[in-house]
Amino acid sequence: MAVIRSVIRGVGAYLPKRIMTNADLAKIVDTSDEWIVERSGIRERHIAADDELTSTLGIAASHQALVRAGIDPVDIDLVVCATATPDRTFPSTAVRIQSGLGITKGAAFDVQAVCSGFVYALAVADNFIKTGQSSRALVVGAETFSRILDWTDRATCVLFGDGAGAVVLEAQPQHGARDDRGVLTTLIRSDGRFEDLLYVDGGPGSTKTVGHLRMNGREVFRHAVQKISGVIEEALVASGYTADEIDLFIPHQANIRILDGIAKKLGIEQDKIVKTLEKHGNTSAASIPLALNQAFEEHRVREGSLVLMEAMGGGFTWGAALARW
Ligand code: ACO
C-alpha cells in the first residue's frame, strides 16, 4: 500500500570556531584532562562567540542542509527547532531561523525536550508530513549550553558544548514496505518523576532568571542505558528490524560509557557507531544532527543505509528513531 514518508534530503551542521580543551577547563575548575576523558570520553568542545546566538548556529546549519538538499528555502513549509537554550523566552528560535532563511510560509515552532529534542522534533515533523500538513520540513537541533552552565561546577561544566545540526525532510510516496526510504519509526517517551535529577534552576515563570544546569550525574547515568535500550528495542520491533540489520548507530553524545553500554547491550558493532563527543562534548539537541552530518561527510551514510538514532535528556525525556537514508 502506498504511503507518504519523510525522506531525508539533506543534512548540515555548524560549530562555533572557538575550541575549549580539557586543559583550558583545568585552568578554571579543579579538574584534569585525564579525569574528563576517563569518565566521559570528551577532549574538547566548541563555544559560541558573544555575537553568536542559538538561531545564528541554527541558520548556518540549516543553510548547509538546504544547499545539500538542493531545496530553495521558500519551499519549506515547516521549521521545528529543538532547543533548551532559545535566543529569547519568546518568540521561538524556530521563527528566527525561519526569517533568517527567508521562509515566509507554513509554521515554525520550538520543541523543548532538552537532549532528546532532536528525536522529538523529528517525530513531530514526520507526523506533520505523514498527515499531509507539511511537504518539506526543516528539523533543527541548536544549542548554546555554554550560556546555562555554572562555570564553577566541575561536575557539569566539563561535559557540554555548543553547536547546531539540521536535516531537510521531504514528503515522498513509498511502498509501505520495510525497505522504504525515509523515517520508518519514531518513539518518544517522558517521565516527569525524574525532573530533579537534571534541570535548570531558573526560568521566567519561577525565578525570572535564566538559571544554571544542575545534574545528579550518577543517577542520570544509571537510568540512561536501561531507558534508551528499552525504547530502541520497541522501535526495532515496531519497524520489523533486528539490531544486527542497523547500518549506522547515531546515539546522542552524552558519555562514551553510556553509548558504548547501549551498543553492547543491543549487540551493535563498534564500527557502526558514530562518535563525535570527543570533539564536541554533549551538545544536547544538536548532537544527533551533528553526528549525522559527520557520518555524511565521511561517506559512512549513503542511500539505503538503515540509521538508528536515540537520545535521553532532562525530564526525563527519551526516544528513538529509525530511518532509511
Ligand atoms: N574533575 C575531577 N573530579 C570530578 C569532576 C571533574 N570534572 N567532576 C566530579 N568529580 C569528582 C566528584 O566530586 C567525585 O569526588 P568524590 O568521590 O571525592 O566525591 C568523583 O569525581 C566521582 O564523581 P561522580 O559524579 O560519582 O563520577 P562519575 O563516575 O559518576 O562520572 C559523570 C560523572 C561523567 C557526570 C557521569 O556520572 C555521567 O556521565 N553521567 C551521565 C550524565 C550525562 O551524561 N548527562 C548529560 C545529559 S543527560 C544525557 O544526555 C544522557
PDB file of all heavy atoms in Angstrom, residues 5-6 12 18 44 87 89-90 92 102 112 126 134 148-149 173 176-177 183 193 205 216 233 270 302 309 316 323:
ATOM      1  N   ARG A   5       6.103   9.098   3.174  1.00  0.00           N
ATOM      2  CA  ARG A   5       7.152   9.058   4.204  1.00  0.00           C
ATOM      3  C   ARG A   5       8.011  10.321   4.128  1.00  0.00           C
ATOM      4  O   ARG A   5       8.099  10.969   3.089  1.00  0.00           O
ATOM      5  CB  ARG A   5       8.046   7.840   4.015  1.00  0.00           C
ATOM      6  CG  ARG A   5       7.330   6.521   4.248  1.00  0.00           C
ATOM      7  CD  ARG A   5       8.271   5.545   4.917  1.00  0.00           C
ATOM      8  NE  ARG A   5       7.734   4.207   4.927  1.00  0.00           N
ATOM      9  CZ  ARG A   5       7.149   3.640   5.986  1.00  0.00           C
ATOM     10  NH1 ARG A   5       6.995   4.312   7.107  1.00  0.00           N
ATOM     11  NH2 ARG A   5       6.719   2.395   5.915  1.00  0.00           N
ATOM     12  N   SER A   6       8.673  10.621   5.249  1.00  0.00           N
ATOM     13  CA  SER A   6       9.568  11.779   5.328  1.00  0.00           C
ATOM     14  C   SER A   6      10.971  11.337   4.943  1.00  0.00           C
ATOM     15  O   SER A   6      11.672  10.724   5.745  1.00  0.00           O
ATOM     16  CB  SER A   6       9.607  12.321   6.756  1.00  0.00           C
ATOM     17  OG  SER A   6       8.322  12.401   7.305  1.00  0.00           O
ATOM     18  N   GLY A  12      23.036  19.211   7.475  1.00  0.00           N
ATOM     19  CA  GLY A  12      24.055  20.256   7.606  1.00  0.00           C
ATOM     20  C   GLY A  12      24.379  20.487   9.071  1.00  0.00           C
ATOM     21  O   GLY A  12      23.647  20.038   9.959  1.00  0.00           O
ATOM     22  N   ARG A  18      35.531  28.819  18.227  1.00  0.00           N
ATOM     23  CA  ARG A  18      36.346  28.705  19.451  1.00  0.00           C
ATOM     24  C   ARG A  18      36.280  27.292  20.043  1.00  0.00           C
ATOM     25  O   ARG A  18      35.193  26.755  20.285  1.00  0.00           O
ATOM     26  CB  ARG A  18      35.859  29.708  20.501  1.00  0.00           C
ATOM     27  CG  ARG A  18      36.694  29.662  21.751  1.00  0.00           C
ATOM     28  CD  ARG A  18      36.247  30.688  22.776  1.00  0.00           C
ATOM     29  NE  ARG A  18      36.792  30.362  24.076  1.00  0.00           N
ATOM     30  CZ  ARG A  18      36.204  30.633  25.224  1.00  0.00           C
ATOM     31  NH1 ARG A  18      35.049  31.266  25.246  1.00  0.00           N
ATOM     32  NH2 ARG A  18      36.767  30.289  26.365  1.00  0.00           N
ATOM     33  N   GLU A  44      37.450  17.921  23.936  1.00  0.00           N
ATOM     34  CA  GLU A  44      37.260  19.353  23.676  1.00  0.00           C
ATOM     35  C   GLU A  44      35.824  19.625  23.255  1.00  0.00           C
ATOM     36  O   GLU A  44      35.069  18.685  22.962  1.00  0.00           O
ATOM     37  CB  GLU A  44      38.250  19.851  22.606  1.00  0.00           C
ATOM     38  CG  GLU A  44      38.180  19.080  21.302  1.00  0.00           C
ATOM     39  CD  GLU A  44      39.318  19.437  20.344  1.00  0.00           C
ATOM     40  OE1 GLU A  44      40.486  19.486  20.786  1.00  0.00           O
ATOM     41  OE2 GLU A  44      39.021  19.666  19.153  1.00  0.00           O
ATOM     42  N   ASP A  87      17.115  31.862  21.963  1.00  0.00           N
ATOM     43  CA  ASP A  87      17.658  33.232  21.981  1.00  0.00           C
ATOM     44  C   ASP A  87      16.913  34.065  23.027  1.00  0.00           C
ATOM     45  O   ASP A  87      17.514  34.820  23.779  1.00  0.00           O
ATOM     46  CB  ASP A  87      17.440  33.929  20.629  1.00  0.00           C
ATOM     47  CG  ASP A  87      18.211  33.278  19.496  1.00  0.00           C
ATOM     48  OD1 ASP A  87      18.883  32.262  19.718  1.00  0.00           O
ATOM     49  OD2 ASP A  87      18.132  33.815  18.370  1.00  0.00           O
ATOM     50  N   THR A  89      13.029  34.226  25.560  1.00  0.00           N
ATOM     51  CA  THR A  89      11.932  33.413  26.093  1.00  0.00           C
ATOM     52  C   THR A  89      10.849  33.262  25.020  1.00  0.00           C
ATOM     53  O   THR A  89      10.306  32.182  24.828  1.00  0.00           O
ATOM     54  CB  THR A  89      11.345  34.063  27.358  1.00  0.00           C
ATOM     55  OG1 THR A  89      12.398  34.188  28.318  1.00  0.00           O
ATOM     56  CG2 THR A  89      10.215  33.231  27.932  1.00  0.00           C
ATOM     57  N   PHE A  90      10.523  34.331  24.338  1.00  0.00           N
ATOM     58  CA  PHE A  90       9.759  34.253  23.100  1.00  0.00           C
ATOM     59  C   PHE A  90      10.147  35.409  22.219  1.00  0.00           C
ATOM     60  O   PHE A  90      10.689  36.393  22.729  1.00  0.00           O
ATOM     61  CB  PHE A  90       8.236  34.164  23.368  1.00  0.00           C
ATOM     62  CG  PHE A  90       7.547  35.458  23.710  1.00  0.00           C
ATOM     63  CD1 PHE A  90       7.164  36.374  22.728  1.00  0.00           C
ATOM     64  CD2 PHE A  90       7.258  35.772  25.038  1.00  0.00           C
ATOM     65  CE1 PHE A  90       6.509  37.549  23.056  1.00  0.00           C
ATOM     66  CE2 PHE A  90       6.597  36.942  25.372  1.00  0.00           C
ATOM     67  CZ  PHE A  90       6.232  37.842  24.377  1.00  0.00           C
ATOM     68  N   SER A  92       9.855  32.010  19.458  1.00  0.00           N
ATOM     69  CA  SER A  92      10.657  30.789  19.364  1.00  0.00           C
ATOM     70  C   SER A  92      11.907  31.035  18.526  1.00  0.00           C
ATOM     71  O   SER A  92      11.938  31.922  17.657  1.00  0.00           O
ATOM     72  CB  SER A  92       9.826  29.670  18.737  1.00  0.00           C
ATOM     73  OG  SER A  92       9.553  29.970  17.378  1.00  0.00           O
ATOM     74  N   GLY A 102      14.680  33.402   5.129  1.00  0.00           N
ATOM     75  CA  GLY A 102      13.765  33.965   4.135  1.00  0.00           C
ATOM     76  C   GLY A 102      12.544  33.097   3.875  1.00  0.00           C
ATOM     77  O   GLY A 102      11.937  33.165   2.808  1.00  0.00           O
ATOM     78  N   GLN A 112      10.821  21.562  23.108  1.00  0.00           N
ATOM     79  CA  GLN A 112      11.695  21.552  24.278  1.00  0.00           C
ATOM     80  C   GLN A 112      11.691  20.166  24.911  1.00  0.00           C
ATOM     81  O   GLN A 112      10.737  19.758  25.560  1.00  0.00           O
ATOM     82  CB  GLN A 112      11.193  22.618  25.269  1.00  0.00           C
ATOM     83  CG  GLN A 112      11.654  22.485  26.696  1.00  0.00           C
ATOM     84  CD  GLN A 112      13.155  22.523  26.899  1.00  0.00           C
ATOM     85  OE1 GLN A 112      13.881  21.640  26.455  1.00  0.00           O
ATOM     86  NE2 GLN A 112      13.624  23.528  27.595  1.00  0.00           N
ATOM     87  N   ASP A 126       7.836  14.502  11.252  1.00  0.00           N
ATOM     88  CA  ASP A 126       7.444  13.297  10.499  1.00  0.00           C
ATOM     89  C   ASP A 126       5.926  13.120  10.530  1.00  0.00           C
ATOM     90  O   ASP A 126       5.311  12.783   9.510  1.00  0.00           O
ATOM     91  CB  ASP A 126       8.154  12.073  11.097  1.00  0.00           C
ATOM     92  CG  ASP A 126       7.769  10.784  10.401  1.00  0.00           C
ATOM     93  OD1 ASP A 126       7.741  10.765   9.153  1.00  0.00           O
ATOM     94  OD2 ASP A 126       7.471   9.795  11.099  1.00  0.00           O
ATOM     95  N   SER A 134       2.422  19.026   5.959  1.00  0.00           N
ATOM     96  CA  SER A 134       3.671  19.648   5.529  1.00  0.00           C
ATOM     97  C   SER A 134       4.244  18.819   4.390  1.00  0.00           C
ATOM     98  O   SER A 134       4.093  17.593   4.364  1.00  0.00           O
ATOM     99  CB  SER A 134       4.663  19.677   6.706  1.00  0.00           C
ATOM    100  OG  SER A 134       5.970  19.935   6.251  1.00  0.00           O
ATOM    101  N   ILE A 148      24.190  28.399  29.881  1.00  0.00           N
ATOM    102  CA  ILE A 148      23.430  27.976  31.077  1.00  0.00           C
ATOM    103  C   ILE A 148      24.271  27.094  32.000  1.00  0.00           C
ATOM    104  O   ILE A 148      23.751  26.451  32.911  1.00  0.00           O
ATOM    105  CB  ILE A 148      22.096  27.263  30.720  1.00  0.00           C
ATOM    106  CG1 ILE A 148      22.330  26.069  29.796  1.00  0.00           C
ATOM    107  CG2 ILE A 148      21.092  28.247  30.125  1.00  0.00           C
ATOM    108  CD1 ILE A 148      21.149  25.106  29.721  1.00  0.00           C
ATOM    109  N   LEU A 149      25.578  27.037  31.747  1.00  0.00           N
ATOM    110  CA  LEU A 149      26.439  26.237  32.622  1.00  0.00           C
ATOM    111  C   LEU A 149      26.903  27.078  33.803  1.00  0.00           C
ATOM    112  O   LEU A 149      27.119  28.290  33.675  1.00  0.00           O
ATOM    113  CB  LEU A 149      27.654  25.731  31.841  1.00  0.00           C
ATOM    114  CG  LEU A 149      27.361  24.752  30.704  1.00  0.00           C
ATOM    115  CD1 LEU A 149      28.643  24.420  29.945  1.00  0.00           C
ATOM    116  CD2 LEU A 149      26.714  23.470  31.247  1.00  0.00           C
ATOM    117  N   PRO A 173       6.155   9.590  -1.804  1.00  0.00           N
ATOM    118  CA  PRO A 173       5.384   8.338  -1.758  1.00  0.00           C
ATOM    119  C   PRO A 173       6.333   7.135  -1.717  1.00  0.00           C
ATOM    120  O   PRO A 173       7.333   7.114  -2.424  1.00  0.00           O
ATOM    121  CB  PRO A 173       4.573   8.363  -3.056  1.00  0.00           C
ATOM    122  CG  PRO A 173       5.272   9.339  -3.943  1.00  0.00           C
ATOM    123  CD  PRO A 173       6.054  10.277  -3.095  1.00  0.00           C
ATOM    124  N   GLY A 176       5.226   1.469   1.490  1.00  0.00           N
ATOM    125  CA  GLY A 176       4.650   0.989   2.744  1.00  0.00           C
ATOM    126  C   GLY A 176       5.308  -0.321   3.160  1.00  0.00           C
ATOM    127  O   GLY A 176       4.727  -1.129   3.882  1.00  0.00           O
ATOM    128  N   ALA A 177       6.537  -0.524   2.685  1.00  0.00           N
ATOM    129  CA  ALA A 177       7.264  -1.768   2.972  1.00  0.00           C
ATOM    130  C   ALA A 177       8.416  -1.484   3.929  1.00  0.00           C
ATOM    131  O   ALA A 177       8.800  -0.336   4.138  1.00  0.00           O
ATOM    132  CB  ALA A 177       7.811  -2.353   1.668  1.00  0.00           C
ATOM    133  N   VAL A 183      11.795   8.251   7.188  1.00  0.00           N
ATOM    134  CA  VAL A 183      11.622   7.948   8.612  1.00  0.00           C
ATOM    135  C   VAL A 183      10.660   6.771   8.717  1.00  0.00           C
ATOM    136  O   VAL A 183       9.546   6.816   8.190  1.00  0.00           O
ATOM    137  CB  VAL A 183      11.089   9.185   9.376  1.00  0.00           C
ATOM    138  CG1 VAL A 183      10.838   8.844  10.837  1.00  0.00           C
ATOM    139  CG2 VAL A 183      12.074  10.357   9.256  1.00  0.00           C
ATOM    140  N   ARG A 193       8.683  12.299  36.846  1.00  0.00           N
ATOM    141  CA  ARG A 193       9.094  11.984  38.226  1.00  0.00           C
ATOM    142  C   ARG A 193      10.591  12.194  38.421  1.00  0.00           C
ATOM    143  O   ARG A 193      11.063  12.325  39.533  1.00  0.00           O
ATOM    144  CB  ARG A 193       8.741  10.534  38.577  1.00  0.00           C
ATOM    145  CG  ARG A 193       7.257  10.294  38.766  1.00  0.00           C
ATOM    146  CD  ARG A 193       6.990   8.828  39.006  1.00  0.00           C
ATOM    147  NE  ARG A 193       7.434   8.004  37.879  1.00  0.00           N
ATOM    148  CZ  ARG A 193       7.474   6.679  37.880  1.00  0.00           C
ATOM    149  NH1 ARG A 193       7.128   6.015  38.965  1.00  0.00           N
ATOM    150  NH2 ARG A 193       7.880   6.018  36.817  1.00  0.00           N
ATOM    151  N   GLY A 205       9.103  31.949  34.609  1.00  0.00           N
ATOM    152  CA  GLY A 205       7.905  31.807  35.433  1.00  0.00           C
ATOM    153  C   GLY A 205       8.184  31.480  36.891  1.00  0.00           C
ATOM    154  O   GLY A 205       7.275  31.443  37.713  1.00  0.00           O
ATOM    155  N   ASN A 216      22.415  15.339  38.748  1.00  0.00           N
ATOM    156  CA  ASN A 216      22.932  14.232  39.534  1.00  0.00           C
ATOM    157  C   ASN A 216      23.446  13.193  38.526  1.00  0.00           C
ATOM    158  O   ASN A 216      22.697  12.325  38.074  1.00  0.00           O
ATOM    159  CB  ASN A 216      21.804  13.650  40.413  1.00  0.00           C
ATOM    160  CG  ASN A 216      22.281  12.500  41.274  1.00  0.00           C
ATOM    161  OD1 ASN A 216      23.255  11.819  40.947  1.00  0.00           O
ATOM    162  ND2 ASN A 216      21.608  12.284  42.379  1.00  0.00           N
ATOM    163  N   GLU A 233      14.641  -1.057  21.576  1.00  0.00           N
ATOM    164  CA  GLU A 233      14.080  -2.392  21.315  1.00  0.00           C
ATOM    165  C   GLU A 233      12.639  -2.284  20.816  1.00  0.00           C
ATOM    166  O   GLU A 233      12.229  -2.976  19.884  1.00  0.00           O
ATOM    167  CB  GLU A 233      14.185  -3.265  22.575  1.00  0.00           C
ATOM    168  CG  GLU A 233      15.560  -3.905  22.677  1.00  0.00           C
ATOM    169  CD  GLU A 233      15.912  -4.417  24.079  1.00  0.00           C
ATOM    170  OE1 GLU A 233      15.081  -4.300  24.994  1.00  0.00           O
ATOM    171  OE2 GLU A 233      17.040  -4.927  24.232  1.00  0.00           O
ATOM    172  N   GLN A 270      31.033  -1.922  17.070  1.00  0.00           N
ATOM    173  CA  GLN A 270      31.701  -0.619  17.251  1.00  0.00           C
ATOM    174  C   GLN A 270      31.811   0.165  15.947  1.00  0.00           C
ATOM    175  O   GLN A 270      31.639   1.377  15.940  1.00  0.00           O
ATOM    176  CB  GLN A 270      33.109  -0.838  17.822  1.00  0.00           C
ATOM    177  CG  GLN A 270      33.139  -0.984  19.335  1.00  0.00           C
ATOM    178  CD  GLN A 270      32.827   0.332  20.061  1.00  0.00           C
ATOM    179  OE1 GLN A 270      33.177   1.399  19.611  1.00  0.00           O
ATOM    180  NE2 GLN A 270      32.143   0.233  21.193  1.00  0.00           N
ATOM    181  N   ARG A 302      24.873   6.382   3.187  1.00  0.00           N
ATOM    182  CA  ARG A 302      24.572   6.515   1.760  1.00  0.00           C
ATOM    183  C   ARG A 302      23.139   6.044   1.520  1.00  0.00           C
ATOM    184  O   ARG A 302      22.505   5.490   2.441  1.00  0.00           O
ATOM    185  CB  ARG A 302      25.565   5.713   0.913  1.00  0.00           C
ATOM    186  CG  ARG A 302      25.672   4.245   1.276  1.00  0.00           C
ATOM    187  CD  ARG A 302      26.788   3.582   0.513  1.00  0.00           C
ATOM    188  NE  ARG A 302      28.096   4.015   0.966  1.00  0.00           N
ATOM    189  CZ  ARG A 302      28.787   3.438   1.962  1.00  0.00           C
ATOM    190  NH1 ARG A 302      28.289   2.390   2.592  1.00  0.00           N
ATOM    191  NH2 ARG A 302      29.962   3.883   2.325  1.00  0.00           N
ATOM    192  N   MET A 309      18.714   6.269  15.555  1.00  0.00           N
ATOM    193  CA  MET A 309      19.066   7.423  16.399  1.00  0.00           C
ATOM    194  C   MET A 309      18.399   7.247  17.761  1.00  0.00           C
ATOM    195  O   MET A 309      17.303   6.695  17.841  1.00  0.00           O
ATOM    196  CB  MET A 309      18.554   8.724  15.756  1.00  0.00           C
ATOM    197  CG  MET A 309      19.172   9.020  14.407  1.00  0.00           C
ATOM    198  SD  MET A 309      18.242  10.252  13.467  1.00  0.00           S
ATOM    199  CE  MET A 309      17.370   9.207  12.315  1.00  0.00           C
ATOM    200  N   PHE A 316      12.671  13.031  33.015  1.00  0.00           N
ATOM    201  CA  PHE A 316      13.423  12.594  31.848  1.00  0.00           C
ATOM    202  C   PHE A 316      12.559  12.574  30.593  1.00  0.00           C
ATOM    203  O   PHE A 316      11.354  12.305  30.674  1.00  0.00           O
ATOM    204  CB  PHE A 316      13.963  11.168  32.036  1.00  0.00           C
ATOM    205  CG  PHE A 316      15.096  11.071  33.024  1.00  0.00           C
ATOM    206  CD1 PHE A 316      15.132  10.019  33.927  1.00  0.00           C
ATOM    207  CD2 PHE A 316      16.121  11.995  33.065  1.00  0.00           C
ATOM    208  CE1 PHE A 316      16.176   9.895  34.833  1.00  0.00           C
ATOM    209  CE2 PHE A 316      17.172  11.868  33.960  1.00  0.00           C
ATOM    210  CZ  PHE A 316      17.191  10.813  34.848  1.00  0.00           C
ATOM    211  N   ALA A 323      15.423   5.360  10.541  1.00  0.00           N
ATOM    212  CA  ALA A 323      15.176   5.948   9.218  1.00  0.00           C
ATOM    213  C   ALA A 323      16.068   5.278   8.181  1.00  0.00           C
ATOM    214  O   ALA A 323      17.191   4.862   8.495  1.00  0.00           O
ATOM    215  CB  ALA A 323      15.469   7.446   9.243  1.00  0.00           C
TER     216      ALA A 323
END
